[in-house]
């Protein structure tokens, strides 16, 4: 008889549990790939039209993952190398990559870019569905990720006509100068005290405070809101920029939604959405109370004030849409203004 210790049984059970998850996921992906391939074959066989020629794809595509393994840690460098190899073979400026189950069209010449962005712009106007975007941005109802349609046109008109006009940008000149003076004062204090300053952190904080002031006004430092804004923006960057399995295998969301909801990144997205909603609800309520204050004329007008004042002029723009529009510029403008990565 073989003697087996209890701790050995525990280790074997734990190892089995660890291996079950990736094996189950692999089986699910194989099943999904077979279903997609079967549907694609049925569509091709049932079509009476002449098959349209697809752009060339780089060699090395694999089952299930497609060309995902050809994209490294620096995607823009990987795409540049793939395009260069394609051009050496007489490429037309268009290249088809299959990242998982999703076809991606890579455009690399002025002529092809003109055809995509001008001639056929309405075909490519909508972005692919993003589970993270839907969760954080209230069903992707902001300007950047909203699908092409009436809501997108209304939101775009609102933003371009009231938020990002030249006059509105110039109106923040005084606020920007105040923030610059505060930064310079901190630098002078450090110089007098002969202490070192981490300039990347200082400039990132400055960019964050400028954007937060434009979004929520001069009260953005109350209760540490500016720090919370930056923390949530950093979280957004991680969630949007990370590897999201559902974006490469979108069929999993429809057929196996109960599984994808358990992914850590999806849980993090829901937690980030909850924190964003609480913060923006507080900001909006503060602005609503101050709008009726007798001292409101002495306060600087920010993005939140503008959105609340014109909401009734744009049918269908709800409170959640306003929150989504506020999250988007906070994330994108902060990213554009940051001189160095954090």
């Amino acid at each position: 008889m073989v003697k087996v210790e209890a701790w050995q049984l525990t280790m074997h059970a734990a190892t089995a549990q660890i291996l079950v998850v990736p094996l189950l996921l692999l089986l699910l992906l194989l099943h999904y790939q077979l279903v997609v391939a079967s549907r694609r074959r049925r569509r091709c066989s049932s079509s009476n039209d002449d098959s349209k020629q697809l752009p060339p794809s780089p060699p090395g595509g694999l089952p299930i993952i497609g060309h995902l393994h050809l994209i490294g840690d620096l995607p823009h460098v990987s795409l540049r190398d793939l395009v260069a190899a394609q051009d050496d073979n007489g490429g037309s400026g268009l290249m088809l990559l299959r990242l998982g189950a999703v076809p991606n069209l890579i455009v690399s010449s002025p002529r092809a870019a003109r055809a995509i962005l001008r001639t056929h712009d309405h075909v490519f106007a909508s972005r692919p569905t993003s589970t993270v975007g839907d969760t954080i941005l209230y069903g992707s109802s902001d300007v950047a990720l909203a699908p092409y349609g009436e809501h997108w046109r209304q939101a775009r008109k609102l933003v371009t006509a009231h938020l990002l006009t030249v006059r509105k940008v110039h109106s923040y000149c005084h606020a920007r100068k105040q923030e610059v003076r505060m930064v310079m004062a901190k630098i002078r204090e450090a110089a007098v005290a002969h202490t070192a300053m981490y300039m990347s952190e200082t400039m990132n904080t400055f960019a964050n405070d400028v954007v937060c002031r434009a979004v929520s006004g001069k009260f953005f430092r109350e209760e540490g809101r500016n720090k919370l804004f930056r923390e949530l923006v950093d979280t957004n960057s991680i969630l949007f920029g990370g590897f999201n399995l559902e974006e490469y295998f979108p069929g999993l969301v429809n057929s196996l939604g109960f599984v994808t909801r358990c992914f850590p990144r999806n849980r993090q997205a829901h937690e980030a959405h909850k924190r964003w909603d609480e913060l923006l609800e507080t900001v909006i309520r503060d602005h609503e109370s101050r709008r009726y204050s007798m001292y409101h004329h002495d306060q600087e007008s920010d993005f939140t004030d503008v959105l609340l004042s014109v909401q009734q002029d744009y049918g269908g723009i709800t409170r959640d849409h306003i929150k989504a529009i506020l999250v988007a510029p906070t994330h994108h403008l902060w990213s554009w203004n940051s001189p160095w990565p954090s």
Side-chain angles (χ1 to χ4, degrees):
M1 176 177 287
V2 180
K3 181 179 180 182
V4 181
E5 299 289 345
W7 65 271
Q8 290 177 312
L9 291 174
T10 303
M11 287 186 63
H12 287 308
T15 303
Q17 291 177 356
I18 293 174
L19 292 177
V20 163
V21 175
L23 287 174
L24 177 61
L25 184 58
L26 180 59
L27 289 175
L28 291 174
L29 289 177
L30 284 170
H31 173 71
Y32 172 69
Q33 187 72 13
L34 290 173
V35 171
V36 171
S38 177
R39 290 176 179 175
R40 188 181 297 120
R41 284 195 299 269
R42 286 199 299 267
R43 285 197 301 267
C44 293
S45 61
S46 62
S47 176
N48 296 324
D49 300 333
D50 292 334
S51 59
K52 297 180 179 180
Q53 184 179 1
L54 294 175
S57 295
L62 298 176
I64 301 178
I65 66 172
H67 299 99
L68 271 174
H69 63 293
L70 301 180
I71 307 300
D73 295 336
L74 300 175
H76 61 288
V77 176
S78 301
L79 293 177
R80 180 201 62 190
D81 295 340
L82 291 172
V83 167
Q86 200 72 36
D87 290 342
D88 292 340
N89 297 324
S92 61
L94 294 174
M95 181 175 65
L96 182 65
L97 285 184
R98 295 197 178 277
L99 303 182
V102 180
N104 291 260
L105 184 63
I106 311 300
V107 183
S108 59
S109 72
R111 181 182 177 185
R114 190 180 302 111
I116 297 297
L117 299 176
R118 179 176 297 177
T119 307
H120 305 288
D121 58 331
H122 63 286
V123 178
F124 298 94
S126 297
R127 290 177 176 268
T129 302
S130 168
T131 303
V132 172
D134 286 345
T135 301
I136 295 179
L137 297 174
Y138 300 85
S140 295
S141 57
D142 66 315
V143 179
L145 297 181
Y148 181 75
E150 183 58 29
H151 169 73
W152 178 83
R153 284 189 288 268
Q154 289 289 327
R156 177 178 176 271
K157 181 180 178 182
L158 189 157
V159 170
T160 55
H162 299 283
L163 296 187
L164 301 180
T165 63
V166 174
R167 180 180 178 182
K168 191 62 182 175
V169 172
H170 286 324
S171 69
Y172 297 122
C173 180
H174 178 66
R176 289 194 295 269
K177 289 181 178 179
Q178 285 185 337
E179 296 298 324
V180 168
R181 284 194 289 268
M182 293 176 64
V183 172
M184 294 305 298
K186 293 179 181 178
I187 294 176
R188 282 194 296 269
E189 291 176 2
V192 171
H194 301 286
T195 58
M197 284 194 70
Y198 183 30
M199 292 305 298
S200 293
E201 178 66 23
T202 301
M203 298 308 297
N204 274 329
T205 301
F206 164 72
N208 175 77
D209 290 351
V210 168
V211 174
C212 289
R213 184 162 181 170
V215 170
S216 61
K218 63 182 180 181
F219 300 98
F220 70 98
R221 286 191 175 89
E222 289 184 356
E223 302 174 0
R225 291 180 190 172
N226 58 330
K227 296 179 181 179
L228 181 54
F229 263 110
R230 180 173 178 182
E231 181 182 342
L232 290 174
V233 168
D234 288 341
T235 301
N236 281 11
S237 299
I238 294 172
L239 292 174
F240 278 106
F243 179 82
N244 299 309
L245 184 66
E246 312 93 293
E247 295 179 7
Y248 300 101
F249 301 94
L252 289 175
V253 179
N254 298 325
S255 59
L256 301 170
F258 66 95
V259 176
T260 58
R261 282 193 293 269
C262 299
F263 292 165
R265 192 170 295 275
N266 287 347
R267 293 199 301 269
Q268 294 167 3
H270 283 283
E271 292 172 1
H273 168 75
K274 182 180 178 181
R275 297 179 66 192
W276 269 116
D277 190 73
E278 292 173 351
L279 172 60
L280 293 175
E281 185 63 32
T282 302
V283 170
I284 291 175
R285 287 179 179 176
D286 286 351
H287 281 70
E288 287 176 333
S289 63
R290 287 172 182 146
R291 286 181 66 191
Y292 303 104
S293 171
M294 60 181 296
Y295 302 105
H296 176 70
H297 63 277
D298 295 329
Q299 300 173 11
E300 61 187 41
S301 176
D302 53 64
F303 281 8
T304 305
D305 284 318
V306 173
L307 290 174
L308 291 175
S309 65
V310 302
Q311 180 183 3
Q312 301 303 323
D313 300 332
Y314 293 83
I317 298 296
T318 66
R319 195 179 189 88
D320 283 350
H321 293 156
I322 289 178
K323 294 176 184 177
I325 293 173
L326 289 175
V327 172
T330 305
H331 173 72
H332 296 302
L333 291 178
W334 183 87
S335 300
W336 295 338
N337 280 283
S338 297
W340 294 284
S342 58

